[in-house]
């Protein structure tokens, strides 16, 4: 997605060979107009898949997921990272390993919102090691619902998450695919062919 | 806002005299169409206030805030509840007391996203004791920016948050105002006049 790539080039900050900071439009400050475009793009990509629910994870997945849900006219569920007092229902739970923080965190979705006949589109902001996405996949499988695919805003294609998901037979659609962050520079997959 | 009140009546679950659970459309599952309506309503209410930034707090504030930002064509910032590895900038920080969990949690916003000349609209999902909103107010004041007002999706008018904010001279616009949750029933402020 051209406008997303341009935004990443303009505002993304490369902190290391593995870390891209996009806090100015996705992870802390949000650009609502760009989120709308992202939602339209995901909705277009999965328009013939009879999606009934969108599943994401708090917090940065929420904005792109809600815009996609608006376009596809389906509800959005965000998995909770911590149990809260008012989330007392029976839960589907999964464990997500964070490589950056070196910890394992539980995520949870109330059983009442995911059903066997649901066709679920998973949306997330970043795909790196794929652990968050695999946690969401696990939850959909526990609900015996169908996963129609995974929509990712920014894929770090040089990490193994996308492979892990494809090994599971899952369709992954990423709107920006980063081949490398080396030398403090963002190189997209479609650019890297010309290098 | 009539459609919001109806949704609360239909899907809200009263867990005690103080706790209303709206996990089916706001706090866990999200109704994107309703969020769009909520965003339009806030945008209308603050249309002549030259808003330059919207400030909310993760996670449930994000959906209504982004829809408001889309309509007002301004960026949305969500305060972080925990420091994350990639949020390493200088931060404005505030402490938020949670009555339900009996703990004090830090919230933070990167200094780079709030400026002295900003006119900030604060958006949040619930207003009860007002602690989260007061934390956001504190952050805007640290940035020496102007607060044009506070937009709340559901106000529990029988708790003291709204008074605390008004004592600070702040304009509070709540789309649903709950007078009571007694006897397991939701009574809105505009209904309670007729009781």
């Amino acid at each position: 997605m051209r406008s997303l790539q341009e935004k990443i080039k303009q505002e993304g900050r490369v902190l290391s060979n593995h870390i891209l900071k996009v806090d100015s439009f996705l992870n802390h400050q949000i650009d609502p107009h760009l989120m709308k475009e992202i939602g339209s793009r995901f909705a277009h990509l999965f328009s013939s898949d009879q999606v009934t629910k969108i599943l994401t994870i708090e917090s940065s997945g929420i904005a792109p997921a809600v815009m996609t849900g608006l376009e596809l006219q389906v509800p959005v569920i965000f998995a909770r990272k911590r149990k809260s007092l008012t989330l007392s229902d029976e839960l589907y739970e999964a464990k997500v390993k964070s490589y950056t923080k070196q910890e394992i965190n539980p995520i949870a979705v109330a059983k009442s919102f995911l059903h066997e006949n649901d066709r679920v589109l998973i949306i997330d902001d970043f795909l790196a090691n794929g652990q968050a996405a695999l946690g969401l996949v696990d939850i959909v499988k526990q609900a015996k619902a169908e996963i129609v695919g995974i929509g990712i805003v920014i894929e770090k294609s040089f990490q193994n998450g996308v492979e892990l998901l494809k090994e599971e037979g899952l369709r992954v659609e990423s709107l920006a695919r980063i081949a490398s962050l080396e030398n403090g520079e963002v190189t997209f997959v479609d650019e890297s062919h010309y290098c």
Side-chain angles (χ1 to χ4, degrees), chain A residues 42 46 51 53-57 61 64-65 68 72 76-77 79 107 114 119-127 130-141 145-153 165 170-174:
Chain A
F42 282 138
F46 293 96
V51 174
K53 289 272 166 71
I54 290 170
L55 178 63
T56 188
I57 184 166
T68 311
L72 289 175
V76 172
I77 306 160
I107 62 169
L114 267 185
R119 297 178 56 82
V120 182
L121 170 59
I122 292 171
I123 298 275
D124 208 4
D125 57 334
F126 263 98
L127 177 62
Q131 299 304 303
L134 285 168
L136 295 173
V137 166
D138 183 357
I139 280 173
V140 180
K141 284 184 177 172
E146 181 122 358
I147 301 164
V148 304
I150 299 173
I152 297 292
V153 180
L165 294 172
L170 295 162
R171 175 181 169 199
V172 180
E173 297 283 357
S174 302

Side-chain angles (χ1 to χ4, degrees), chain A residues 1-70:
Chain A
M1 200 176 117
R2 186 59 56 188
S3 57
L4 175 62
Q5 287 191 353
E6 279 166 13
K7 195 83 168 176
I8 293 168
K9 285 272 189 192
Q10 282 161 16
E11 300 187 15
R13 287 195 287 151
V14 179
L15 297 192
S16 75
N17 284 357
H18 286 82
I19 300 181
L20 170 69
K21 195 167 170 170
V22 290
D23 272 2
S24 71
F25 62 89
L26 184 59
N27 298 133
H28 185 28
Q29 184 169 253
I30 300 171
D31 178 337
H33 181 73
L34 182 62
M35 294 304 121
K36 183 84 164 61
E37 279 188 84
I38 286 169
S40 299
R41 185 80 192 123
F42 282 138
H44 176 75
L45 287 166
F46 293 96
S47 60
S48 48
D49 292 281
Q50 292 95 42
V51 174
T52 63
K53 289 272 166 71
I54 290 170
L55 178 63
T56 188
I57 184 166
E58 61 183 350
S59 289
S60 299
I62 295 174
V66 168
M67 289 302 182
T68 311
L70 185 69

Side-chain angles (χ1 to χ4, degrees), chain A residues 80-188:
Chain A
R80 287 284 192 180
K81 282 181 180 163
R82 291 187 294 184
K83 292 182 199 184
S84 81
L85 192 79
T86 53
L87 189 67
S88 55
D89 288 304
E90 276 194 276
L91 302 169
Y92 294 117
E93 290 182 280
K95 288 190 166 43
V96 173
K97 185 172 177 182
S98 164
Y99 285 89
T100 42
K101 291 181 199 162
Q102 286 297 326
E103 57 189 26
I104 292 176
N105 295 303
I107 62 169
V109 168
K111 289 187 179 176
S112 52
F113 298 129
L114 267 185
H115 307 285
E116 206 168 331
N117 55 351
D118 272 323
R119 297 178 56 82
V120 182
L121 170 59
I122 292 171
I123 298 275
D124 208 4
D125 57 334
F126 263 98
L127 177 62
N129 298 295
Q131 299 304 303
L134 285 168
L136 295 173
V137 166
D138 183 357
I139 280 173
V140 180
K141 284 184 177 172
Q142 289 176 47
K144 297 189 175 63
E146 181 122 358
I147 301 164
V148 304
I150 299 173
I152 297 292
V153 180
I154 302 175
E155 172 191 306
K156 294 195 275 189
S157 311
F158 56 88
Q159 288 183 263
N160 70 334
V162 64
E163 282 158 41
L164 290 175
L165 294 172
K166 286 185 174 171
E167 277 168 18
E168 295 260 326
L170 295 162
R171 175 181 169 199
V172 180
E173 297 283 357
S174 302
L175 303 188
R177 299 175 64 211
I178 294 174
S180 154
L181 294 172
E182 277 167 36
N183 306 315
E185 207 171 298
V186 180
T187 307
F188 294 104

